[in-house]
């Protein structure tokens, strides 16, 4: 989810925030590869020991099953989805994940997704996986395809469009209704505010929580931009996965 491409430390892609990527630097990782020797999987899933939490066999099996099914589903929509996808899964604390969902993820090109789940949520890992994982992977897999097509960028509007496309994709094709996909009440004003930012501006306040209390300014505005571009010029979040930022802006405006 959501926390979408800052620095490697910040996130190679933020699905909506907050995400504590500094967590990685302090982990003593014990990697268990799920499903080894158990037939071919669409996704190679690695479970990392963190915060004293061991994923149970049932939790591992559920995550592997959803990851495999989602990769197959997304590949029918985005045929250039990379092969050999690796899903790194680790436990996080409440402050490491999106409060609304209990998880967070980031896409690391060319073919890795890192997923953090808070196992202390009501219903535990199983509830988060059942409720959030499919849509989360739709979002992250869209990022992997777009990175492959247009490359990574640390510029604000490139990330606004990146996140808008992935958010519209998870909404339209996975049925997700995420708060970071709700159009702003004054989208033109938010867009002008984003466009007015200088090159190289810090991304976190615009993709996560702004100092003024607003959240997901870039993601919500990006989703509106993508929807407006589609309404005016046709296509879908899947067919526009490789569209340039300027093309989306031009069509929307």
């Amino acid at each position: 989810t959501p926390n979408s491409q800052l620095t490697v430390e910040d996130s190679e892609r933020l699905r909506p925030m907050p995400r504590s990527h500094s967590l990685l630097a302090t982990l003593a990782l014990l990697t268990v590869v799920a499903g080894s020797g158990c037939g071919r999987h669409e996704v190679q899933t690695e479970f990392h020991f963190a915060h004293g939490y061991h994923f149970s066999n049932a939790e591992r099996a559920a995550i592997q099953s959803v990851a495999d099914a989602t990769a197959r589903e997304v590949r029918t929509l985005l045929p250039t989805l990379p092969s050999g996808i690796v899903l790194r899964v680790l436990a996080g604390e409440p402050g490491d994940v999106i409060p609304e969902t209990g998880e967070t993820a980031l896409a690391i090109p060319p073919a890795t997704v890192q997923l953090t789940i808070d196992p202390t949520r009501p219903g535990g890992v199983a509830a988060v996986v059942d409720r959030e994982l499919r849509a989360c992977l739709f979002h992250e897999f869209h990022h992997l395809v777009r990175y492959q097509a247009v490359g990574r960028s640390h510029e604000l509007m490139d990330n606004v469009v990146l996140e808008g496309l992935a958010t519209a994709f998870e909404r339209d094709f996975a049925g997700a209704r995420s708060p970071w996909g709700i159009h702003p009440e004054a989208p033109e004003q938010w867009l002008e505010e984003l466009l007015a930012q200088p090159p190289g501006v810090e991304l976190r306040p615009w993709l996560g929580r702004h100092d003024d209390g607003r959240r997901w300014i870039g993601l919500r505005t990006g989703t509106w931009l993508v929807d407006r571009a589609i309404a005016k010029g046709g296509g879908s979040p899947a067919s526009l996965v490789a569209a340039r930022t300027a093309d989306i802006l031009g069509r929307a405006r």
Side-chain angles (χ1 to χ4, degrees):
T1 89
N3 339 124
S4 329
Q5 159 138 345
L6 314 182
T7 63
V8 172
E9 295 77 15
D10 245 356
S11 83
E12 259 108 352
R13 208 283 310 124
L14 277 187
R15 205 174 156 254
M17 305 241 205
R19 282 101 214 268
S20 177
H21 301 302
S22 60
L23 172 68
L24 294 178
T26 61
L27 290 179
L29 295 178
L30 174 63
T31 302
V32 180
V33 179
S36 58
C38 299
R40 181 180 179 277
H41 289 291
E42 296 291 327
V43 176
Q44 176 183 312
T45 308
E46 301 173 354
F47 293 88
H48 295 256
F49 177 72
H51 297 296
Y53 189 81
H54 294 271
F55 289 90
S56 70
N57 289 338
E59 291 166 348
R60 294 175 186 173
I63 291 168
Q64 183 72 64
S65 177
V66 173
D68 285 338
T70 304
R72 286 191 292 269
E73 190 176 0
V74 170
R75 201 175 297 281
T76 66
L77 301 164
L78 300 173
T80 58
L81 181 69
S83 59
I85 293 174
V86 175
L87 177 63
R88 299 176 187 163
V89 186
L90 53 131
E93 296 178 330
D96 300 325
V97 301
I98 304 167
E100 289 84 351
T101 64
E103 51 72 50
T104 191
L106 63 96
I108 306 170
T112 297
V113 173
Q114 182 166 292
L115 171 70
T116 302
I117 298 176
D118 173 15
T120 68
R121 302 279 290 200
V125 171
V128 174
V129 169
D130 182 63
R131 185 177 60 249
E132 306 293 345
L133 183 55
R134 177 172 171 267
C136 169
L137 292 179
F138 262 76
H139 191 113
E140 303 307 325
F141 289 168
H142 191 282
H143 283 327
L144 290 179
V145 175
R146 184 163 176 80
Y147 286 153
Q148 183 175 257
V150 304
R152 296 176 57 222
S153 168
H154 298 296
E155 292 302 319
L156 178 57
M157 290 310 301
D158 290 335
N159 282 275
V160 167
V161 170
L162 171 84
E163 295 295 348
L165 283 165
T167 300
F169 182 70
E170 66 173 314
R171 179 197 65 200
D172 293 353
F173 294 102
R177 292 294 179 266
S178 304
W180 50 88
I182 299 172
H183 291 179
E185 293 182 4
E188 293 89 352
Q189 293 179 21
W190 282 24
L191 175 59
E192 293 307 318
E193 185 180 7
L194 289 164
L195 289 170
Q197 301 308 307
V201 68
E202 182 185 357
L203 300 181
R204 181 172 293 276
W206 303 101
L207 301 183
R209 185 184 294 276
H210 196 276
D211 291 343
D212 63 15
R214 288 178 295 170
R215 298 172 71 194
W216 307 310
I217 296 170
L219 284 91
R220 294 178 63 188
T221 306
T223 305
W224 171 78
L225 273 172
V226 168
D227 289 342
R228 189 173 174 89
I230 290 171
K232 289 192 170 190
S236 74
S239 66
L240 294 174
V241 66
R244 298 288 176 176
T245 298
D247 294 338
I248 297 294
L249 284 169
R251 291 172 58 165
R253 302 183 80 196

